[in-house]
Amino acid sequence: MHSLLNDSHLSKKDKSLLLVGLFAARREEQAMLYFTEVAVEADNTVNEIAQLISAAIISRGIPTWLSGIEAISKAIELTGNAQSTKEPQNIAAFSTQEECVGYYQSEFDQLPQWISYLVDYAPDTLLKYSNLRTTSLRDGVVSRYLKELLLYAINICDQYPKGISIHETNAIQLGATDDVLLDVRTICMYAVGVQAILKD
């Protein structure tokens, strides 16, 4: 396990943070808390842990946050620092369906069917989800790059091909190399075993 966290194409700091987020998303709290200690030792802050976990809400819902608050509490306990991030007051938000559709057209080669169905059958959900997605994925104390790697890892572990494809593509566009993606798959093998490399 120690070699898993050695600096390679991803640093120990990033790997340990990804593992906290991954186990929060999987609601495996014992492993999450173990890696929270490792993440804090690797100089991750409470704010970084909280922000990465919150990014996973768009993929695996609020249960991720309900598990993740235990990691945040643990990090506060370990660091003695409960200071929160002060978010900017004027966060850009979508106000129309057209803005949402434009966003997804810029994110994907073509508008995904799941978005088309939200447009047709759940437009209010489209608006609210789109605002949650853009807020969760924007660069902050944790980069969008690392957030995309977490979402890539979550979908590998759950063997969800569409999610794997979306977040792999996004991560590559943000600079992820084949070696970085291999590091992420190695983390996933630690979490769920050999199924993490059977995606293709």
Side-chain angles (χ1 to χ4, degrees):
M1 200 282 292
H2 296 293
S3 62
L4 169 77
L5 291 173
N6 287 346
D7 286 341
S8 54
H9 302 283
L10 288 172
S11 66
K12 179 178 181 178
K13 182 178 192 292
D14 287 346
K15 288 179 182 179
S16 59
L17 186 59
L18 287 171
L19 281 159
V20 173
L22 180 59
F23 284 118
R26 296 181 61 74
R27 301 173 72 183
E28 296 181 29
E29 293 185 11
Q30 185 175 0
M32 176 191 71
L33 292 174
Y34 172 79
F35 283 106
T36 299
E37 292 188 29
V38 176
V40 168
E41 289 170 7
D43 294 325
N44 285 289
T45 66
V46 174
N47 286 326
E48 287 170 320
I49 289 168
Q51 194 170 105
L52 189 71
I53 291 169
S54 71
I57 292 172
I58 65 167
S59 182
R60 294 301 177 267
I62 203 66
T64 293
W65 187 252
L66 296 177
S67 292
I69 58 174
E70 299 301 326
I72 297 165
S73 296
K74 181 72 172 178
I76 291 169
E77 174 191 322
L78 291 168
T79 64
N81 184 356
Q83 185 175 2
S84 61
T85 301
K86 299 299 182 192
E87 294 288 346
Q89 291 190 358
N90 296 318
I91 297 172
F94 300 122
S95 57
T96 67
Q97 242 186 64
E98 291 74 21
E99 290 173 341
C100 296
V101 169
Y103 163 71
Y104 291 109
Q105 286 173 330
S106 70
E107 285 280 298
F108 302 103
D109 291 334
Q110 60 184 31
L111 195 68
Q113 186 179 41
W114 60 277
I115 294 298
S116 296
Y117 277 21
L118 282 175
V119 171
D120 292 341
Y121 302 110
D124 193 48
T125 300
L126 169 72
L127 190 62
K128 290 176 173 58
Y129 174 78
S130 299
N131 282 316
L132 174 63
R133 187 180 196 276
T134 56
T135 300
S136 298
L137 287 181
R138 73 176 184 272
D139 287 318
V141 293
V142 176
S143 66
R144 177 169 181 182
Y145 173 70
L146 203 62
K147 293 173 183 180
E148 291 287 357
L149 291 179
L150 172 63
L151 295 168
Y152 176 59
I154 290 168
N155 284 284
I156 287 172
C157 289
D158 286 353
Q159 286 293 283
Y160 182 56
K162 288 182 183 177
I164 293 169
S165 176
I166 288 168
H167 297 293
E168 180 178 56
T169 298
N170 290 348
I172 290 168
Q173 288 175 346
L174 292 166
T177 62
D178 288 343
D179 290 326
V180 166
L181 297 177
L182 179 59
D183 272 359
V184 174
R185 290 196 298 275
T186 301
I187 288 169
C188 294
M189 282 187 65
Y190 176 80
V192 299
V194 73
Q195 74 182 52
I197 60 170
L198 301 179
K199 73 178 187 79
D200 294 325

